[in-house]
Amino acid sequence: MLVLAVLLPVAWVQATGHARVRGSVAEAAQTPVDAIVVLGAGLRPDGTPSTYLRRRLAAAAELYAAGAADRVVLSGDGADRADGTPYDEPGSMADWIVGLGVPGDALVLDREGFDTTATCRRAHDEYAVRTAVVVTQDYHLRRALFSCARAGLDATGVGVSATSVTPVQAAWWRVRELPASWRAAAREAW
């Protein structure tokens, strides 16, 4: 019973999200949506997007160029650190994606996207997004799409490479999807 109590919620989240995964940017761009939603993935010490985040932004720029949407929601942590150090993930994302050819007036900066669920809810409630293409790493995509569906978004998604120069960290991120998926299911059950 305990194994079922753990595995069934994870399977529900993963299967629900899997049905919304698109295999490529070209496939995702076939049906226009209200917005492309890019989930944050951290900044480097110099304030530029992490490698994972750069991959997400590159895919979003491709989606924009392909006409998937005329808005790109850049969601992440925009809260300065406790010591006063500035931290603006969406601002850094905006600087980077403009350099990839997406005009600044197409961008929506969500500085309160502290986690996947918050991003999905805010896209729906604050930015009136009803249909979206979500961009994140492939291992995270299914849970992200589940969370967006639960927030009222009719979302599909594109997964980008999760190849890492630190294999232990990459393995940890994949493993953490199990408890994160379970928590996502539990939030819906209670």
Side-chain angles (χ1 to χ4, degrees), residues 132-158:
V133 176
V134 177
V135 184
T136 187
Q137 262 60 37
D138 48 14
Y139 67 85
H140 177 235
L141 185 59
R142 286 150 190 81
R143 180 171 56 88
L145 291 171
F146 174 86
S147 293
C148 284
R150 306 321 285 176
L153 285 177
D154 180 8
T156 58
V158 176

Side-chain angles (χ1 to χ4, degrees), residues 49 57-58 61-62 74 91-104 107:
L57 294 166
E62 286 182 53
L74 304 174
S92 180
M93 293 164 76
D95 291 343
W96 194 265
I97 202 167
V98 165
L100 298 176
V102 177
L107 304 177

Side-chain angles (χ1 to χ4, degrees), residues 22-176:
R22 299 298 175 256
S24 67
V25 165
E27 183 183 346
Q30 288 177 358
T31 305
V33 294
D34 295 336
I36 300 158
V37 177
V38 184
L39 303 174
L43 300 177
R44 293 178 173 187
D46 67 359
T48 61
S50 67
T51 300
Y52 272 29
L53 188 49
R54 289 175 189 207
R55 291 175 187 162
R56 295 176 189 190
L57 294 166
E62 286 182 53
L63 284 161
Y64 182 85
D70 59 5
R71 270 192 306 169
V72 181
V73 176
L74 304 174
S75 185
D77 185 348
D80 290 346
R81 298 298 172 237
D83 66 1
T85 305
Y87 192 87
D88 184 7
E89 194 173 11
S92 180
M93 293 164 76
D95 291 343
W96 194 265
I97 202 167
V98 165
L100 298 176
V102 177
D105 63 355
L107 304 177
V108 175
L109 278 59
D110 174 18
R111 291 186 165 91
E112 294 180 35
F114 300 118
D115 60 34
T116 304
T117 300
T119 293
C120 295
R121 287 184 181 148
R122 289 179 56 73
H124 183 272
D125 298 344
E126 299 292 323
Y127 305 115
V129 175
R130 297 299 177 258
T131 58
V133 176
V134 177
V135 184
T136 187
Q137 262 60 37
D138 48 14
Y139 67 85
H140 177 235
L141 185 59
R142 286 150 190 81
R143 180 171 56 88
L145 291 171
F146 174 86
S147 293
C148 284
R150 306 321 285 176
L153 285 177
D154 180 8
T156 58
V158 176
V160 297
S161 173
T163 303
S164 175
V165 294
T166 53
V168 171
Q169 187 177 41
W172 167 246
W173 286 332
R174 284 176 173 80
V175 168
R176 81 175 191 166

